Amino acid sequence: MESDHYNDPAMFGGCSVPIRVNRKSKPSPTVVNINGIPIGSSSVVIIAGPCSVESHEQLLETAREVKKAGGVLLRGGAFKPRSSPYNFQGLGKEGIKMLTEMRKATGLPFVTEVMDTRMVEFVAENSDMLQIGSRNMHNYPLLKEVGKLRKPVLLKRGMMATIEEFLLSAEYILNEGNEQVVLCERGIRTFEPTTRNTLDLSAVPMLKHLTHLPVIVDPSHGTGHRWMVPVMAKAAVAAGADGLILEVHYKPEEALCDGFQSLNPDEFSRLMAELKKIAQAVGRDIY
Ligand code: PEP
Ligand code: MN
């Protein structure tokens, strides 16, 4: 229904912003609370951890390094959306169990992906934040299902989604009553082959302009190169991101998934120190 949208075709290429995510319907920024950690405040939140949960040792050692360097939220996939069915698919429920044990040992809350409507209840009951991955941004039954919860959701931009489509997917979740949504720019597919994706940092100010929802950036999937992650992470904070989600592994060379874009603990720790200065330069701090 056209009246559910505010149109500003002259300025935004015809992009219409649906009503519930629209900043005009809620001028104050939404702050999403993940077990006491606010995303969308003046402080930038750093989420870090392995691409996938692989073992007790890998998860715990990585989580300890993340915490030591100042990360406040852990990431780790148990249900993995892999392009090839022959690649490591994640540890599933066992991986979720390891994440809850990691939280008990370190005190770090965690975000983990849910891919299937049949698993939403289980993952919601056993995690602090649900991730909807890039490949599922268009999975409307899944969006509706997480919309029925009162649990924070990290919604990643579809790799071929426009900003309007991204906002419409978030609208699905809000429309079911769940307003605890964080948007994540993770790079889009372009004609450029040197990077895994083209990290669209211009999406950060545009999204912040159009919606009241917090916006974070994933420079790991956004570049696909470990050496590029720190510079793009700093650029994302300079561009106004409310947080970062970074792949960190205690031994990236042994990772079962995405080791080539994962920082080792030293690199992550160095980046954390640099991010403090960038945040300060743009009038913010690191949570
Ligand atoms: C991830 O963050 O684990 C992931 C699979 O990323 P994306 O959905 O952005 O590809
Ligand atoms: Mn990954």
Side-chain angles (χ1 to χ4, degrees):
M1 204 164 62
E2 202 53 43
S3 58
D4 287 338
H5 295 68
Y6 294 106
N7 292 303
D8 210 344
M11 288 185 76
F12 303 117
C15 168
S16 60
V17 182
I19 194 158
R20 296 185 199 284
V21 302
N22 201 307
R23 190 175 264 281
K24 287 183 189 163
S25 62
K26 181 178 178 289
S28 64
T30 290
V31 178
V32 174
N33 188 309
I34 301 110
N35 244 339
I37 298 161
I39 304 189
S41 75
S42 61
S43 301
V44 177
V45 171
I46 310 299
I47 307 169
C51 179
S52 311
V53 176
E54 300 168 1
S55 69
H56 275 292
E57 180 188 318
Q58 171 252 14
L59 184 60
L60 209 58
E61 291 300 315
T62 304
R64 290 201 170 114
E65 296 286 359
V66 164
K67 188 174 178 177
K68 194 167 80 183
V72 288
L73 240 166
L74 195 108
R75 63 147 290 148
F79 297 97
K80 295 300 300 177
R82 302 305 301 277
S83 299
S84 167
Y86 304 118
N87 285 341
F88 176 60
Q89 301 286 304
L91 298 179
K93 280 187 167 180
E94 193 54 37
I96 302 280
K97 208 172 132 214
M98 289 180 187
L99 283 162
T100 57
E101 286 160 11
M102 174 286 304
R103 180 177 55 200
K104 201 169 164 205
T106 63
L108 287 175
F110 65 88
V111 54
T112 196
E113 180 158 354
V114 61
M115 298 199 294
D116 186 325
T117 50
R118 293 166 297 185
M119 292 308 294
V120 165
E121 196 180 329
F122 175 78
V123 180
E125 278 171 10
N126 294 284
S127 70
D128 301 290
M129 183 182 213
L130 296 167
Q131 176 172 321
I132 305 278
S134 188
R135 290 156 190 79
N136 271 317
M137 191 211 80
H138 295 287
N139 185 338
Y140 304 114
L142 186 60
L143 297 173
K144 285 189 190 173
E145 209 57 32
V146 299
K148 290 181 193 142
L149 307 170
R150 298 296 172 268
K151 186 109 195 163
V153 176
L154 177 59
L155 178 64
K156 299 188 86 173
R157 181 179 183 180
M159 60 185 82
M160 288 179 285
T162 64
I163 287 193
E164 179 173 3
E165 289 164 338
F166 191 15
L167 290 171
L168 283 164
S169 288
E171 185 83 2
Y172 263 95
I173 302 172
L174 269 69
N175 199 37
E176 296 292 329
N178 189 354
E179 293 175 356
Q180 297 278 290
V181 176
V182 174
L183 302 174
C184 178
E185 165 59 41
R186 49 78 73 203
I188 50 174
R189 276 214 170 140
T190 67
F191 48 81
E192 179 50 56
T194 59
T195 41
R196 183 175 180 180
N197 291 286
T198 295
L199 186 60
D200 180 12
L201 285 185
S202 68
V204 177
M206 182 57 84
L207 287 166
K208 301 274 307 170
H209 184 79
L210 298 175
T211 177
H212 52 83
L213 297 174
V215 180
I216 72 166
V217 172
D218 174 351
S220 307
H221 295 91
T223 63
H225 299 293
R226 176 183 309 139
W227 64 272
M228 274 187 94
V229 171
V231 68
M232 297 311 282
K234 288 181 273 184
V237 171
D242 297 304
L244 298 170
I245 181 163
L246 302 164
E247 286 186 338
V248 174
H249 194 288
Y250 81 136
K251 290 176 186 167
E253 57 291 341
E254 290 176 18
L256 295 181
C257 181
D258 288 355
F260 52 85
Q261 65 186 29
S262 302
L263 301 179
N264 66 36
D266 282 348
E267 290 165 330
F268 177 60
S269 170
R270 237 174 291 141
L271 173 60
M272 286 298 290
E274 293 171 359
L275 286 171
K276 285 193 181 113
K277 293 185 226 164
I278 302 288
Q280 206 169 33
V282 293
R284 304 181 81 167
D285 58 14
I286 303 290
Y287 184 83

